[in-house]
């Protein structure tokens, strides 16, 4: 889905799920300001070239010609990069071209980081498209060369608009030090060598997606204590704190394939609190998960009291039913007794 309104490219949100599932620019600004006033950064992600089939509905010229093979985006056309440039410029408050060329009155997103995705790119559709395959052949490019061209050109557009590009593991795994050093590598694949990334001078965000202590919140069987044990600097030599300092943080992603309004809160909370404490606290304060148990229990009760449907702390499966009735009052009494 592409649900955002862009003045420079008004047909983009034709790729939304429906007309009622769209965000006006003023609504985006409200979300960003609401978050900012609470110390939260809102970073947009436009995942190109491999997760952008929704763009084809409004701008079919930026996609391969076969409707059944609509991504990755068309690397052979400047139209593709002009469109991406307008999106980034309008987000950053820069001059955009498009059909309503102008200087954006203010940024939609104020953060320096701009996520460009770049993951899960299968270039087979390029080889099946006459125009794109001819473009690749004329440059003596393989599909992988075309992929490199795309992600590097996308990153340069972000940088030219005063933004730091964030790109997923695969971009680094494929192209290593060919990436601009301004690029932030977002690691989700266990095969990506964290020590190599930071030793080569790149900063990174980390969350290996599918492992026993993953921070992916759609991993319903990963309990809060396993989440708490995940060390953001895992694998980096202990005698190289300079390298660990390049790990800017991590993410607790809630991918939407298995949630809707009925179970979203219970899937996120309270495990997201365990991720937050691990990332925001000194390493020596987070070595033992059981010392955090009273805090996360109290926090879960606080969320419930404020109308947020946080799941029981010790569920074996996130968002599953509690084993029996419980009392936050009793939990707090136990916490006070333990502190006295």
């Amino acid at each position: 889905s592409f649900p955002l309104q862009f003045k420079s490219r008004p047909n983009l949100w034709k790729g939304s799920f429906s007309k009622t599932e769209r965000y006006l620019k003023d609504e985006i600004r409200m979300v960003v300001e609401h978050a900012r006033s609470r110390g939260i950064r809102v970073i947009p992600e436009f995942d190109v070239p491999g997760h952008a089939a929704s763009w084809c509905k409004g701008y079919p010229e930026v996609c391969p010609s076969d409707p059944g093979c609509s991504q990755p985006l068309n690397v052979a056309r400047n139209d593709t990069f002009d469109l991406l440039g307008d999106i980034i410029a309008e987000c950053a408050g820069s001059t955009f071209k498009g059909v309503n060329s102008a200087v954006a009155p203010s940024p939609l997103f104020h953060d320096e980081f701009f996520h460009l995705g770049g993951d899960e790119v299968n270039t087979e559709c390029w080889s099946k498209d006459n125009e794109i395959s001819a473009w690749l052949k004329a440059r003596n490019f393989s599909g992988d060369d075309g992929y490199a061209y795309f992600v590097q050109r996308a990153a340069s557009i972000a940088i030219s608009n005063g933004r730091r590009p964030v790109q997923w593991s695969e971009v680094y795994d494929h192209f290593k030090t060919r990436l601009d050093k301004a690029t932030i590598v977002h690691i989700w694949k266990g095969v990506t060598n964290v020590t190599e990334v930071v030793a080569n001078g790149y900063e990174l965000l980390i969350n290996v997606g599918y492992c026993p202590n993953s921070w992916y919140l759609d991993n319903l069987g990963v309990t809060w204590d396993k989440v708490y044990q995940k060390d953001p600097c895992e694998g980096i030599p202990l005698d190289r704190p300079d390298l660990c300092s390049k790990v800017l943080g991590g993410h607790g992603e809630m991918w939407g394939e298995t949630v809707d309004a009925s179970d979203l809160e219970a899937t996120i909370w309270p495990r997201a609190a365990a991720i937050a404490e691990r990332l925001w606290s000194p390493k020596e304060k987070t070595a033992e998960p059981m010392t955090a148990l009273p805090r996360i229990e109290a926090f879960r009760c606080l969320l419930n009291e404020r109308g947020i449907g946080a799941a029981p702390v010790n569920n074996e499966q996130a968002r599953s039913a509690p084993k029996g009735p419980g009392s936050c009052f009793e939990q707090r009494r136990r916490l006070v007794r333990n502190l006295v």
Side-chain angles (χ1 to χ4, degrees), residues 192-244:
T192 306
N193 188 320
V194 174
T195 301
E196 178 189 282
V197 174
V198 292
N200 279 332
Y202 295 96
E203 293 180 318
L204 63 83
L205 301 169
I206 192 164
N207 181 13
V208 175
Y210 299 100
C211 64
N213 55 359
S214 171
W215 290 339
Y216 272 21
L217 294 168
D218 56 324
N219 287 332
L220 303 183
V222 179
T223 56
W224 80 269
D225 54 315
K226 297 298 183 184
V227 163
Y228 200 84
Q229 292 173 36
K230 175 67 178 176
D231 181 358
C233 289
E234 183 179 348
I236 296 176
L238 296 176
D239 60 350
R240 292 297 307 272
D242 57 313
L243 297 184
C244 186

Side-chain angles (χ1 to χ4, degrees), residues 33-304:
E33 176 56 25
H34 182 82
R36 186 205 61 79
S37 66
R38 289 157 177 80
I40 299 169
R41 299 164 62 177
V42 179
I43 299 170
E45 179 182 1
F46 297 93
D47 196 345
V48 293
H51 286 285
S54 60
W55 299 27
C56 307
K57 194 162 186 180
Y59 295 93
E61 65 273 17
V62 305
C63 299
S65 57
D66 182 355
C69 204
S70 56
Q71 57 186 22
L73 295 176
N74 190 334
V75 67
R77 290 196 174 190
N78 286 326
D79 293 342
T80 305
F81 298 99
D82 290 343
L83 174 56
L84 180 61
D86 285 341
I87 290 172
I88 295 174
E90 197 162 346
C91 286
S94 308
T95 302
F96 56 81
K97 299 174 183 178
V99 296
N100 298 302
S101 58
V103 176
S106 64
L108 273 179
F109 300 96
H110 296 266
D111 202 274
E112 178 191 14
F113 293 3
F114 199 99
H115 209 309
L116 291 166
D119 62 318
E120 298 179 327
V121 174
N122 184 339
T123 61
E124 286 185 9
C125 284
W126 286 350
S127 62
K128 296 175 182 177
D129 184 282
N130 291 335
E131 177 190 16
I132 300 173
S133 60
W135 183 89
L136 293 171
K137 184 177 181 180
R139 288 158 179 77
N140 198 27
F141 276 4
S142 65
D144 211 51
D145 293 328
Y147 175 29
Y149 175 87
F150 194 108
V151 296
Q152 289 175 311
R153 186 167 174 183
S156 69
I157 294 171
I159 292 168
S160 70
N161 281 277
R163 296 293 185 262
R164 289 192 67 185
V166 183
Q167 293 175 306
W168 286 108
S169 289
E170 292 95 323
V171 177
Y172 177 84
D173 291 339
H174 276 77
F175 312 120
K176 306 287 185 179
T177 55
R178 291 162 64 185
L179 302 180
D180 191 290
K181 284 297 190 291
T183 303
I184 297 164
V185 180
H186 191 173
I187 294 178
W188 75 279
K189 296 178 76 70
V191 297
T192 306
N193 188 320
V194 174
T195 301
E196 178 189 282
V197 174
V198 292
N200 279 332
Y202 295 96
E203 293 180 318
L204 63 83
L205 301 169
I206 192 164
N207 181 13
V208 175
Y210 299 100
C211 64
N213 55 359
S214 171
W215 290 339
Y216 272 21
L217 294 168
D218 56 324
N219 287 332
L220 303 183
V222 179
T223 56
W224 80 269
D225 54 315
K226 297 298 183 184
V227 163
Y228 200 84
Q229 292 173 36
K230 175 67 178 176
D231 181 358
C233 289
E234 183 179 348
I236 296 176
L238 296 176
D239 60 350
R240 292 297 307 272
D242 57 313
L243 297 184
C244 186
S245 67
K246 290 186 176 295
V247 180
L248 301 181
H251 280 197
E253 289 89 344
M254 180 63 257
W255 303 118
E257 289 88 344
T258 63
V259 292
D260 63 15
S262 69
D263 59 8
L264 176 64
E265 291 178 345
T267 309
I268 293 174
W269 300 109
R271 291 183 301 157
I275 299 170
E277 181 164 300
R278 185 68 208 232
L279 284 169
W280 293 338
S281 303
K283 188 173 183 178
E284 62 272 15
K285 299 290 186 181
T286 55
E288 177 47 59
M290 286 304 105
T291 63
L293 179 58
R295 292 193 298 277
I296 196 168
E297 287 183 332
F299 185 66
R300 185 256 174 170
C301 286
L302 179 64
L303 291 173
N304 286 170

